[in-house]
Amino acid sequence: MKRVAVYCGSATPADPVYIESARAIGRSLAGQGIGLVYGGGKLGLMGAVADSALEAGGEVIGVIPQALVNAEVAHRGLTELHVVETMHERKARFTELSDGFLTIPGGTGTMDELWEAMSWAQLGYHAKPVGLLNVAGFYDGLLEFVGKMSEVGFLRPQHQNILLADDDLDRLLDKMRRFEPTVPIIRMTRDEL
């Protein structure tokens, strides 16, 4: 993996574990020679992961909609800053520029990005690993819900391993490097659906 898209929040929660983990992720990616593609903001976890990657000498590419540039939340000190018109363009650019997706804690925007990355992998629009770093148990409920989708039958057996999760970044990156894409929906027969 040469570049990873990191999905995360633009907020700074009161518990310092979240901001510290974002900083550690930025440093670790840079230290491993993995470029960071992210939402292009300077606030919250977004800003922390970008700043720490830059400080460690890493490549940092931001992708941000014009409306957020106008709101003055764009990070101006990046390796590259791509300004797009819509959130749809932003997510498509994340997919074009990265070799995988890493989700760390965030809110509704982060969830939107994660679910789209998973959905596109399931459908066959990309064959890239989708990782979820479960910082301080933040995603325990989400992982339980993904298990419920599988148990009930809304997540096909072929797609139950699309989401790679761990609470340790190095283990998660190793899982992402070893990821083998499954048969996407667009290549399944009617009987398999």
Side-chain angles (χ1 to χ4, degrees):
M1 292 185 302
K2 293 180 182 174
R3 290 183 184 148
V4 172
V6 174
Y7 298 145
C8 61
S10 60
T12 304
D15 188 336
V17 70
Y18 299 109
I19 203 83
E20 288 304 321
S21 68
R23 290 182 181 127
I25 290 160
R27 286 189 300 269
S28 182
L29 291 176
Q32 295 180 50
I34 300 172
L36 167 66
V37 179
Y38 86 115
K42 63 182 179 182
L43 305 175
L45 271 64
M46 275 193 197
V49 74
D51 287 340
S52 62
L54 289 165
E55 289 165 9
E59 173 192 49
V60 180
I61 300 171
V63 183
I64 191 166
Q66 183 65 55
L68 293 177
V69 173
N70 295 347
E72 299 184 6
V73 299
H75 194 306
R76 298 294 186 172
L78 306 176
T79 309
E80 295 176 25
L81 182 63
H82 298 244
V83 179
V84 296
E85 288 303 313
T86 69
M87 293 298 282
H88 295 292
E89 289 176 69
R90 182 191 216 184
K91 291 183 288 184
R93 188 73 55 90
F94 286 151
T95 303
E96 292 167 14
L97 293 171
S98 68
D99 301 310
F101 309 93
L102 173 62
T103 300
I104 66 175
T108 55
T110 304
M111 291 300 89
D112 174 53
E113 293 162 340
L114 171 65
W115 289 120
E116 185 164 288
M118 288 177 61
S119 177
W120 285 15
Q122 181 178 283
L123 290 167
Y125 293 137
H126 73 74
K128 301 174 183 184
V130 180
L132 181 79
L133 187 62
N134 192 15
V135 174
F138 183 79
Y139 285 120
D140 287 350
L142 181 103
L143 292 169
E144 183 179 333
F145 177 65
V146 171
K148 184 70 170 180
M149 288 191 303
S150 297
E151 176 188 320
V152 171
F154 285 113
L155 193 56
R156 293 172 180 84
Q158 301 92 318
H159 304 131
Q160 291 176 1
N161 294 319
I162 285 176
L163 182 62
L164 307 170
D166 208 300
D167 60 3
D168 179 85
L169 179 62
D170 290 331
R171 284 194 309 254
L172 181 56
L173 290 173
D174 185 54
K175 289 178 184 181
M176 291 173 70
R177 286 182 188 101
R178 292 183 288 112
F179 174 72
E180 294 288 332
T182 59
V183 177
I185 288 174
I186 60 174
R187 290 200 209 133
M188 295 173 81
T189 67
R190 182 179 174 96
D191 292 337
E192 292 173 313
L193 294 172

